[in-house]
Amino acid sequence: VCAADDGYAMPLAVVIRSALENLKRDRQIIFFVIDGGIKPKNKDKILRSINSKKFDIKWLQPSVDLLDNMKVSGHIKIASYFRLLIPLLLTHHFDKAIYLDSDLIVQGDLSELWDLDIADNYLLAVHQISTWVSSFNGLVNYRELGIPSDYKYFNSGVLVMNLKKWRTDKISEKIIHYLEQNKEHVRRHDQDGLNAVLAGKWGELEPRWNQTPGFHTRSWKDSLFSEEDFNNALHHPYIIHFASSQKPWNSTRKYPANDLFFQYVDMTAWSGWRLTIWRRIQNKIIKKIKTWLAQN
């Protein structure tokens, strides 16, 4: 399952194409896309980007009224919260789902992720590098919530979700309620809600399933991973996640996987697209207009 608005149509096509390029020949994927307003012409481009019998896509319409009171800011839009609706949007025929953010590249075989035993956990995720719930970047109110300081804090960009357990215990509703009632404490949006409600109730994935930019700015000694796991994530990642406001399609920041991202772009209907100086100027103008509209 992925979620995207129209601004993420091209990166979403990259997610899908990269996943299929690295999938075993005998496996298939159904992609459910929670549609945050993708224009018909871009849906068509996404479909034209994928020429594979291993692939099916279904568009889901979210009940955005459930998210009316969510906190949004900067590059975090309401679509960031759509992952919380997955157990409600997918039929009960599905008791498990892989969720992927729409700002990543899949380099590994997702069938291996799917085949992992989720056991009795609500989800499987990768520990946010160097972050406990009690860390500066963790949960502001972990003490008030009664969460032990040594509990790990996970990144929500790649999740294997136990949908049956979520539905039984109404986890989506609990997280939405938490986010509504704790806005003053929420800094990382849906990710804070997930970590607050599911603290100590999730299983840990190898970090190579979610390589975030922090792996390029820290050494393994600064992380909470073993040297082997850290180096595998750094040098041989299964998923490369552009988890910051600066991404290959909106910034000139030199990220090690930028060239790889555009290699996948060139496999889609957006082939040849690059962040030219004119597009950068256009982005700045659009950003200023949006800021002005928000203030007026």
Side-chain angles (χ1 to χ4, degrees), residues 280-296:
R280 295 202 298 270
I281 292 171
Q282 183 184 48
N283 288 344
K284 287 182 180 179
I285 293 172
I286 292 173
K287 184 176 181 180
K288 287 182 178 180
I289 292 173
K290 288 182 176 179
T291 301
W292 183 85
L293 289 173
Q295 293 173 348
N296 295 274

Coordinates of all heavy atoms in Angstrom, one line a residue, residues 280-296:
R280 N 13.1 24.7 -10.7 CA 13.4 25.2 -9.4 C 12.8 26.6 -9.1 O 12.3 26.9 -8.1 CB 15.0 25.3 -9.1 CG 15.6 23.9 -9.1 CD 17.0 23.9 -8.4 NE 17.9 24.8 -9.1 CZ 18.8 24.5 -10.0 NH1 18.7 23.2 -10.5 NH2 19.6 25.3 -10.5
I281 N 12.9 27.4 -10.1 CA 12.3 28.8 -10.1 C 10.7 28.6 -9.9 O 10.1 29.3 -9.1 CB 12.6 29.6 -11.3 CG1 14.1 30.0 -11.3 CG2 11.7 30.9 -11.3 CD1 14.6 30.6 -12.6
Q282 N 10.2 27.7 -10.7 CA 8.7 27.5 -10.6 C 8.3 27.0 -9.2 O 7.3 27.5 -8.7 CB 8.3 26.5 -11.7 CG 6.8 26.2 -11.7 CD 6.5 25.1 -12.7 OE1 7.1 24.0 -12.7 NE2 5.5 25.3 -13.6
N283 N 9.1 26.1 -8.7 CA 8.8 25.6 -7.3 C 8.8 26.7 -6.3 O 8.0 26.7 -5.4 CB 9.8 24.5 -7.0 CG 9.6 23.2 -7.7 OD1 8.6 23.0 -8.3 ND2 10.6 22.3 -7.7
K284 N 9.8 27.6 -6.4 CA 9.9 28.7 -5.4 C 8.7 29.6 -5.5 O 8.2 30.1 -4.5 CB 11.2 29.5 -5.7 CG 12.5 28.8 -5.2 CD 13.7 29.6 -5.4 CE 15.0 28.9 -5.0 NZ 16.2 29.7 -5.2
I285 N 8.3 29.9 -6.8 CA 7.1 30.7 -7.0 C 5.8 30.1 -6.4 O 5.1 30.7 -5.7 CB 6.9 31.0 -8.5 CG1 8.1 31.9 -9.0 CG2 5.6 31.7 -8.7 CD1 8.0 32.1 -10.5
I286 N 5.7 28.8 -6.7 CA 4.5 28.1 -6.1 C 4.5 28.0 -4.6 O 3.5 28.2 -4.0 CB 4.5 26.6 -6.7 CG1 4.2 26.7 -8.2 CG2 3.4 25.8 -6.0 CD1 4.3 25.3 -8.9
K287 N 5.7 27.8 -4.0 CA 5.8 27.8 -2.6 C 5.4 29.1 -2.0 O 4.7 29.2 -1.0 CB 7.3 27.4 -2.2 CG 7.4 27.3 -0.7 CD 8.9 26.8 -0.4 CE 9.1 26.6 1.1 NZ 10.4 26.2 1.5
K288 N 5.9 30.2 -2.6 CA 5.6 31.6 -2.1 C 4.1 31.9 -2.2 O 3.5 32.4 -1.3 CB 6.3 32.6 -2.9 CG 7.8 32.7 -2.5 CD 8.6 33.8 -3.2 CE 10.0 33.8 -2.8 NZ 10.8 34.9 -3.5
I289 N 3.5 31.4 -3.3 CA 2.0 31.6 -3.5 C 1.2 30.9 -2.4 O 0.3 31.4 -1.8 CB 1.6 31.2 -4.9 CG1 2.2 32.1 -6.0 CG2 0.1 31.1 -5.0 CD1 1.9 31.7 -7.4
K290 N 1.6 29.6 -2.2 CA 1.0 28.8 -1.2 C 1.1 29.4 0.2 O 0.2 29.4 1.0 CB 1.5 27.4 -1.2 CG 1.1 26.5 -2.4 CD 1.6 25.1 -2.3 CE 1.1 24.3 -3.5 NZ 1.6 22.9 -3.4
T291 N 2.3 29.9 0.5 CA 2.5 30.6 1.8 C 1.6 31.8 2.0 O 1.0 32.0 3.0 CB 4.0 31.0 2.0 OG1 4.8 29.8 1.9 CG2 4.2 31.7 3.3
W292 N 1.5 32.6 0.9 CA 0.7 33.8 0.9 C -0.8 33.5 1.1 O -1.5 34.1 1.9 CB 0.9 34.6 -0.4 CG 0.1 35.9 -0.4 CD1 0.5 37.1 0.1 CD2 -1.2 36.1 -1.0 NE1 -0.5 38.0 -0.1 CE2 -1.6 37.4 -0.7 CE3 -2.1 35.2 -1.6 CZ2 -2.8 37.9 -1.2 CZ3 -3.4 35.7 -2.0 CH2 -3.7 37.1 -1.8
L293 N -1.2 32.4 0.4 CA -2.6 32.0 0.5 C -2.9 31.5 1.9 O -4.0 31.8 2.4 CB -2.9 30.9 -0.5 CG -3.0 31.3 -2.0 CD1 -3.1 30.1 -2.9 CD2 -4.1 32.3 -2.3
A294 N -2.0 30.8 2.5 CA -2.2 30.3 3.9 C -2.3 31.4 4.9 O -3.0 31.3 5.9 CB -1.1 29.3 4.2
Q295 N -1.6 32.5 4.6 CA -1.6 33.6 5.5 C -2.7 34.6 5.3 O -3.0 35.4 6.2 CB -0.3 34.4 5.4 CG 1.0 33.6 5.8 CD 2.3 34.3 5.5 OE1 2.3 35.3 4.8 NE2 3.4 33.8 6.1
N296 N -3.4 34.4 4.2 CA -4.5 35.3 3.9 C -5.8 34.5 3.7 O -6.7 34.9 3.0 CB -4.2 36.1 2.6 CG -3.0 37.0 2.8 OD1 -3.2 38.2 3.2 ND2 -1.8 36.6 2.5

